[in-house]
Amino acid sequence: MLDNSLAEERVDPRIRRTLQFLEEAFSTLIHEKDFQSITIQDITERAGINRATFYAHFPDKYALLDYKIRQEFRAEIEKRTLNACHYSQDNLRALILAVCEFIREANGQCKSPRGQFEPLMEAQVKAQIKDLLMTWLDQVDSNVSPEISSTAASWAIYGLAQYWNDEKDRKPLNKFVEQVLPLAEANLQLNQI
């Protein structure tokens, strides 16, 4: 499976269309039944493709879920043009906000108990946060390696966003972001902004 967006832009339009059919079918099914109940047969029937075509793209439904999460979070980052930005406190604030909103939306979409797909979502989102932060950190001076800083900050951002989403009496999102911004920033160990 292709991981970077540039490679995906070069994919044959028929493959992109097939992936879109699979993703749409899966999205519809995940609203109707829990993840464990969904079969490959359900997905392929809904998408109007055969099982061999499904297996040409994904080894199982977990890989499809992983792909869907990656695509949706990437779209969220691109919508906010954070992938084209440099490090700034405003961009970090926007990233934290995006992660909180993405987790809230993902948790609200699925009929399945969150525990069934949460590890996949966490892995995908943290990896993309880390990659984005590494890109930003390559442009500024830091006390520690960009790899270590971006790893720590991605875990902090994701964990804090999950904390906010789990709260019964949540603070308004903008207030929460302002409260946790210094915590995320501290993980980046920046010398100058």
Side-chain angles (χ1 to χ4, degrees), residues 150-167:
S150 60
T151 299
S154 67
W155 281 66
I157 292 168
Y158 186 87
L160 291 166
Q162 191 64 57
Y163 169 83
W164 178 77
N165 274 277
D166 288 344
E167 284 294 289

Side-chain angles (χ1 to χ4, degrees), residues 63-112:
L64 175 56
L65 176 61
D66 194 56
Y67 173 79
K68 180 176 172 27
I69 293 167
R70 181 175 58 245
Q71 293 301 100
E72 287 180 357
F73 189 67
R74 178 179 293 141
E76 188 65 31
I77 294 298
E78 290 172 357
K79 176 177 81 176
R80 298 167 189 260
T81 64
L82 293 172
N83 57 327
C85 294
H86 60 280
Y87 175 80
S88 73
Q89 194 176 59
D90 286 340
N91 289 337
L92 183 59
R93 181 181 291 109
L95 176 60
I96 296 167
L97 185 70
V99 175
C100 289
E101 289 176 346
F102 181 79
I103 292 172
R104 179 181 58 201
E105 180 71 21
N107 289 341
Q109 282 183 4
C110 225
K111 183 177 172 83
S112 301

Side-chain angles (χ1 to χ4, degrees), residues 173-191:
L173 183 52
N174 287 336
K175 286 185 179 181
F176 179 76
V177 170
E178 290 307 317
Q179 183 181 12
V180 301
L181 181 63
L183 300 171
E185 224 172 8
N187 282 287
L188 296 176
Q189 296 288 305
L190 299 171
N191 288 333

